[in-house]
Amino acid sequence: MSKAIEAPVSSQSVQPAAIEKKSVSFQNILLGAAIQTFEVSTLGQPFEVVKTHMAANRGDSIATSLKKTYARGGIAGFYQGLIPWAWIEASTKGGVLLFTSSEIDYRARVAGLSSSWAGLLGGVGGGIAQAYTTMGFCTFMKTVEVTRHKSADTNASTWRIAYDVFQREGIRGLNRGVSAVALRQMTNWGSRFGISRVTESIFRGKDTTRKLATWERLAASAIGGALACWNQPLEVIRVEMQSQAKAADRPANLNLFTTARYIYQKNGFLGFYRGVTPRIGLSVYLTVCMVFGGDSIKAYFSNKQKANH
């Protein structure tokens, strides 16, 4: 009797839902490049310039930074380094992020991790890939644009400074600060994706399959971007390592540790958080563009392809 009862139960056992891999196509890579180029060409670069100025000039307030940036070139001063460096960086790092993070996210979920942990690991991996493929040199050149007025030769062009650095230090010199960039990017996108996923889970509550409303996805993206700025010390260290400022007490060979010690000696603990306010603005805007905007556009094209088939 017991065997007769057990048989139908066994045949109706619930199978775990198959884990779908987010499609990463050439279209998605182009999408990532387009979104980040749009982001940096609108509000992104002004936030970046003011953030970099404050991290390099740690005694300046936001108001002073805005005035000095405007004095350097009017409205165009807020777009220093946009062409070509920010465009090169944006058109490559977006695609790298989407491709790498999607692959790691899928592998992590297949291994049994939750969507939040998978998102965090995907962001970490995507951030590291960004730093070592495209961002090291580009962030160096953008920082040169903003800080070259503090160099020994104030009339030297960005290209001239880059050439001099290359002559002295080779490729390694042009990628100065890439270790700080890598740490910043992996903690950036790991935090952004991870926190955004956790926030989405909180919004869903017990109904884990509920489709989020537009405002909920937007809020989750913004919260993820803002809270990801906890790693501002890495950004200040990165800017100082790449800055063209010259000072008698500034270490000649800067690395993560000597730079951190120099900043602490000059500005104390709060010096590591200079520029955090414009960075929060930048992070929220960038995260909304990439996480919310990217997901929305990808979903649109995905639905369109399904409809055609």
Side-chain angles (χ1 to χ4, degrees):
M1 177 68 70
S2 61
K3 289 183 179 180
I5 295 174
E6 289 173 2
V9 174
S10 175
S11 64
Q12 295 178 7
S13 59
V14 179
Q15 298 296 322
I19 296 175
E20 293 185 5
K21 182 178 180 180
K22 293 181 180 178
S23 61
V24 177
S25 61
F26 186 65
Q27 181 185 66
N28 281 349
I29 294 175
L30 288 178
L31 172 63
I35 291 173
Q36 290 227 333
T37 302
F38 166 80
E39 175 270 330
V40 77
S41 300
T42 49
L43 294 178
Q45 192 62 9
F47 277 129
E48 178 73 25
V49 169
V50 174
K51 174 200 71 173
T52 301
H53 177 98
M54 293 184 70
N57 303 274
R58 291 180 290 278
D60 289 355
S61 64
I62 292 180
T64 302
S65 300
L66 292 171
K67 289 177 182 177
K68 288 185 177 180
T69 301
Y70 186 80
R72 284 201 301 269
I75 296 298
F78 291 95
Y79 289 90
Q80 284 180 300
L82 176 64
I83 303 172
W85 312 118
W87 276 4
I88 293 173
E89 180 185 325
S91 63
T92 52
K93 73 176 184 179
V96 170
L97 176 68
L98 285 179
F99 181 84
T100 309
S101 63
S102 294
E103 186 67 25
I104 294 175
D105 179 280
Y106 170 70
R107 298 296 175 186
R109 286 184 291 120
V110 167
L113 295 182
S114 67
S115 62
S116 297
W117 278 106
L120 186 149
L121 291 177
V124 167
I128 293 174
Q130 282 183 324
Y132 286 104
T133 55
T134 181
M135 289 189 68
F137 173 66
C138 288
T139 56
F140 172 75
M141 294 307 299
K142 289 193 301 178
T143 305
V144 168
E145 285 278 7
V146 178
T147 64
R148 61 178 171 165
H149 65 285
K150 300 176 71 175
S151 63
D153 183 1
T154 56
N155 294 319
S157 67
T158 305
W159 291 101
R160 182 67 201 181
I161 293 174
Y163 178 76
D164 290 343
V165 170
F166 181 74
Q167 288 288 92
R168 292 194 311 269
E169 306 172 46
I171 294 296
R172 185 175 181 178
L174 295 177
N175 281 279
R176 186 189 305 155
V178 70
S179 54
V181 174
L183 286 172
R184 185 197 70 178
Q185 289 303 105
M186 66 181 284
T187 50
N188 259 3
W189 285 109
S191 298
R192 285 171 176 171
F193 283 171
I195 294 171
S196 294
R197 296 277 178 84
V198 170
T199 307
E200 288 174 358
S201 297
I202 292 172
F203 284 150
R204 286 193 179 96
K206 294 181 179 179
D207 187 359
T208 57
T209 60
R210 179 175 70 86
K211 186 176 180 180
L212 294 176
T214 300
W215 74 266
E216 289 175 318
R217 296 179 62 208
L218 185 60
S221 299
I223 291 169
L227 295 183
C229 292
W230 63 267
N231 67 354
Q232 179 65 8
L234 292 171
E235 173 66 359
V236 175
I237 291 171
R238 190 275 302 174
V239 171
E240 186 61 43
M241 290 178 73
Q242 297 177 338
S243 173
Q244 297 305 296
K246 304 296 180 185
D249 60 344
R250 192 169 186 257
N253 297 313
L254 292 171
N255 57 43
L256 283 169
F257 302 105
T258 59
T259 306
R261 184 168 61 245
Y262 174 71
I263 292 170
Y264 183 77
Q265 289 172 348
K266 297 287 288 185
N267 306 100
F269 178 75
L270 292 180
F272 289 105
Y273 285 89
R274 298 301 297 164
V276 70
T277 301
R279 184 164 176 236
I280 288 175
L282 173 63
S283 295
V284 170
Y285 185 57
L286 173 59
T287 307
V288 168
C289 287
M290 287 299 292
V291 178
F292 172 71
D295 285 352
S296 297
I297 297 173
K298 280 194 292 184
Y300 169 78
F301 282 114
S302 177
N303 292 334
K304 192 173 181 180
Q305 287 179 346
K306 289 178 181 178
N308 291 335
H309 290 299

